[in-house]
Amino acid sequence: MVPTDDGKYIGEHFGMATDGNPDISIAHMKAPPGWREPFQTPEFDEFTLVVRGKKQFIIEGEKVVLKAGESIKILRNTRVQYSNPFKEVCEYIAICTPAFRMDKVHREH
């Protein structure tokens, strides 16, 4: 498990935090109701598959909501915000190529 300070569970299976793999990260995630991250413009592609609940994305100003069984690919260098403004936990799988790294996510403050 990768520690967070926002209540989100990150169970990384492969990636920088678990096996040092710089090429890919694969993680099982759970975002609590009301969770959100700041806008960011990462240097990696991110694939998301929602397993349970819903997840909201604001991609270059466009709002997209995914439900269980739906997926999306966010290309690197795209400005995006991830959130769960809904009343239930959102469980999803996230895959980043190359691997997720805090110094490559470029979160706005």
Side-chain angles (χ1 to χ4, degrees):
M1 184 172 128
V2 178
T4 67
D5 58 5
D6 61 2
K8 182 171 66 172
Y9 167 83
I10 303 175
E12 186 178 84
H13 292 260
F14 301 97
M16 294 297 295
T18 53
D19 66 358
N21 188 333
D23 299 321
I24 191 168
S25 56
I26 300 173
H28 175 216
M29 319 278 264
K30 292 180 186 174
W35 165 85
R36 78 169 180 210
E37 290 181 339
F39 279 92
Q40 53 198 287
T41 308
E43 294 180 39
F44 45 81
D45 295 337
E46 185 161 351
F47 303 79
T48 302
L49 170 63
V50 176
V51 176
R52 178 173 54 104
K54 295 186 282 189
K55 186 175 180 185
Q56 179 175 286
F57 304 76
I58 299 176
I59 306 161
E60 301 287 348
E62 179 185 348
K63 186 187 297 185
V64 175
V65 175
L66 294 185
K67 299 177 289 192
E70 297 180 328
S71 61
I72 194 167
K73 176 184 179 182
I74 309 292
L75 295 174
R76 66 191 74 195
N77 302 316
T78 299
R79 186 172 184 260
V80 61
Q81 181 192 44
Y82 302 105
S83 66
N84 178 12
F86 310 106
K87 294 180 181 180
E88 61 191 59
V89 171
C90 177
E91 182 176 359
Y92 60 100
I93 304 298
I95 300 170
C96 299
T97 58
F100 178 94
R101 287 178 37 181
M102 282 303 293
D103 65 334
K104 301 294 184 184
V105 73
H106 307 295
R107 289 188 176 150
E108 299 172 16
H109 298 278

